[in-house]
Amino acid sequence: MIVRHVPLLDLQAQYRSLKPELDAAVMRVAESQRFILGDEVAAFEKEIADYLEVPYALGVSSGTDALLLSLMALGIGPGDEVIVPTFSFFATAGVVSRLHATPVFVDIDPVSFNLDPGFLERAVTTRTRAVVPVHLFGQAADMNAVMEVAEAHGLRVVEDAAQAIGVRCGDGRFAGTVGTTGCFSFFPSKNLGCFGDGGLVVTNDPELYHRMKIMRVHGGEPKYYHKIIGGNFRLDALQAAVLRVKLPHLETWSRRRRENAHRYRSLFIEAGLAEESGRTAFDDRNTVLLPKEVYAGAEPGFYHIYNQYSIRVEKRDKVMQYLRDRNVGCEIYYPVPFHRQECFADVSSSNGSFPVADEVARTILSIPVYPEMTEDMQQYVVETIAEAVHA
Ligand SMILES: *Cc1c(COP(=O)(O)O)cnc(C)c1O
């Protein structure tokens, strides 16, 4: 088959593979006319808590709200500093500012693209209350190092695992279940996506769970009696029903993503664009820098679920345009680190410089890695990239 078109993601393909079950789940909720929380959400919370091997899971309205609710429940507010990597999706830092706390940026590691634990320690001040490690692109951050710094300084740890559901950290626990809370997103482009917006917050702490559960419905307990202020942070029953159908397939989808990643590695090496050693500097034999699994020595693939397959390439903008002109979906996650965002101009002036994030933002490009893509499609992607870099 001659492939001439590869989208960045093909949600239609996933829907087709589960259409009867998904349609039945949606209809079941329609028939019940029970849309707010209820049995569907409770059942989903139990199933996903079991899957993630964590005692408490709370379905919420989005990944962003999972982060916001976590910080609210921890009482983060004006005068507090929260450390975040400068390179992530906007929500990671946006939620801190929305609570009138101060986001403090740290640079990232050039290999994992996750927060550099060495910089974390140096960013701690007497005002620091929490840190938000991000498991970016589906690779676990170095949680052992993060927890060590957090414990030494009494910090709360809110894990942004929006892109990393079902990936293990260095000590074998799931990303999102190691810190004080873990936040997940079911935005359609994540490895586990619903039919709209949805999210999850998990914790091992029963009191914090109880507090977040109350805050999910405006903080009233009993209803209409408010000791605390929350919001409307509920997951829809419809989304829970969809997620219950998809959850049993998550492992298979993530395994296929990993297989695709491994095939990309071989194809890029065969095409003479990259070296097996997976080095992180551009030179003749490394025109394309491939994503590298930081913990790969222990058990290959175990620590990366490839929500995105993000390569680095010089003349990235030229390559991106070349790919788009030839119907290869690709995207820059993310073009502007937080310290260069206009809205953070006053907070970042005192933060220093972040050369790694700047360089990564200049060269990074995410290419298709979704579970249903075929080997022919991957070949077309790599051939087109090879043409682009030599054009
Ligand atoms: C998607 C994402 C979020 C936000 O999740 P939403 O469900 O879109 O609100 C937060 N952080 C990261 C790293 C994400 O990728």
Side-chain angles (χ1 to χ4, degrees):
M1 193 177 80
I2 297 175
V3 173
R4 295 256 175 273
H5 178 225
V6 187
L8 185 57
L9 178 65
D10 185 356
L11 288 174
Q12 291 286 350
Q14 191 192 73
Y15 177 52
R16 279 195 300 274
S17 74
L18 292 175
K19 186 170 160 43
E21 295 100 303
L22 286 166
D23 290 358
V26 170
M27 286 314 294
R28 184 174 71 231
V29 178
E31 292 291 343
S32 79
Q33 288 294 299
R34 296 197 50 187
F35 300 117
I36 305 299
L37 299 175
D39 297 345
E40 288 294 346
V41 173
F44 170 65
E45 287 171 345
K46 178 164 188 331
E47 288 158 13
I48 196 140
D50 288 348
Y51 171 72
L52 290 172
E53 300 163 3
V54 70
Y56 306 107
L58 205 58
V60 295
S61 28
S62 68
T64 304
D65 284 347
L67 291 164
L68 185 65
L69 176 59
S70 294
L71 295 178
M72 282 174 76
L74 292 171
I76 304 292
D80 296 335
E81 291 179 358
V82 178
I83 299 173
V84 303
T86 189
F87 188 75
S88 177
F89 178 65
F90 182 76
T92 311
V95 291
V96 178
S97 292
R98 285 172 65 188
L99 294 173
H100 306 285
T102 307
V104 172
F105 306 133
V106 290
D107 211 347
I108 54 164
D109 175 86
V111 179
S112 67
F113 307 129
N114 285 323
L115 141 167
D116 184 327
F119 291 127
L120 174 59
E121 175 92 56
R122 270 178 269 165
V124 176
T125 74
T126 52
R127 290 168 174 265
T128 311
R129 293 278 318 280
V131 53
V132 186
V134 182
H135 306 286
L136 202 66
F137 302 141
Q139 169 146 247
D142 185 350
M143 286 306 292
N144 290 343
V146 170
M147 293 310 286
E148 208 169 289
V149 175
E151 272 154 30
H153 298 276
L155 311 182
R156 303 307 204 116
V157 179
V158 174
E159 291 179 69
D160 184 340
Q163 300 182 5
I165 191 158
V167 75
R168 305 264 184 185
C169 296
D171 73 354
R173 277 183 289 174
F174 280 109
T177 70
V178 180
T180 316
T181 74
C183 304
F184 298 89
S185 166
F186 305 124
F187 186 79
S189 69
K190 314 289 171 154
N191 283 28
L192 180 63
C194 61
F195 284 3
D197 280 307
L200 186 81
V201 54
V202 302
T203 184
N204 295 295
D205 177 340
E207 275 168 43
L208 187 59
Y209 165 72
H210 189 64
R211 192 173 166 81
M212 291 193 293
K213 194 169 180 180
I214 295 168
M215 290 179 95
R216 176 171 69 173
V217 283
H218 297 289
E221 194 192 50
K223 210 173 178 182
Y224 307 125
Y225 292 79
H226 298 259
K227 281 199 207 79
I228 47 175
I229 299 170
N232 174 354
F233 297 130
R234 296 183 294 254
L235 179 71
D236 284 337
L238 263 172
Q239 303 303 351
V242 166
L243 289 162
R244 292 181 68 197
V245 174
K246 290 193 178 192
L247 179 59
H249 301 276
L250 176 61
E251 291 266 285
T252 308
W253 292 331
S254 294
R255 196 189 64 239
R256 289 202 193 127
R257 285 172 179 271
R258 284 200 291 267
E259 287 164 4
N260 291 344
H262 296 145
R263 192 174 301 121
Y264 264 140
R265 175 164 288 273
S266 314
L267 289 171
F268 277 113
I269 291 167
E270 272 169 42
L273 296 174
E275 257 185 356
E276 179 62 67
S277 62
R279 290 202 315 190
T280 56
F282 292 112
D283 60 36
D284 296 351
R285 285 174 304 173
N286 292 283
T287 336
V288 172
L289 303 181
L290 304 179
K292 193 167 176 187
E293 296 185 23
V294 177
Y295 302 105
E299 196 169 334
F302 200 54
Y303 303 103
H304 204 324
I305 52 157
Y306 293 97
N307 178 243
Q308 298 297 339
Y309 190 89
S310 302
I311 60 171
R312 288 175 55 201
V313 61
E314 288 276 8
K315 303 199 188 109
R316 185 266 322 274
D317 294 342
K318 195 189 94 179
V319 171
M320 181 171 70
Q321 194 53 51
Y322 193 93
L323 292 179
R324 288 187 169 169
D325 290 347
R326 282 152 191 81
N327 299 314
V328 175
C330 54
E331 197 62 66
I332 303 171
Y333 302 119
Y334 297 92
V336 186
F338 297 149
H339 66 276
R340 298 206 176 272
Q341 293 289 356
E342 213 176 310
C343 66
F344 294 133
D346 7 325
V347 282
S348 38
S349 57
S350 54
N351 270 203
S353 66
F354 308 90
V356 180
D358 282 337
E359 176 64 5
V360 169
R362 185 182 71 81
T363 53
I364 201 151
L365 188 65
S366 298
I367 60 174
V369 72
Y370 61 91
E372 297 82 4
M373 78 185 296
T374 62
E375 195 166 340
D376 292 341
M377 289 170 148
Q378 289 194 276
Q379 250 153 11
Y380 179 65
V381 173
V382 175
E383 275 162 28
T384 312
I385 292 172
E387 281 170 32
V389 298
H390 297 123

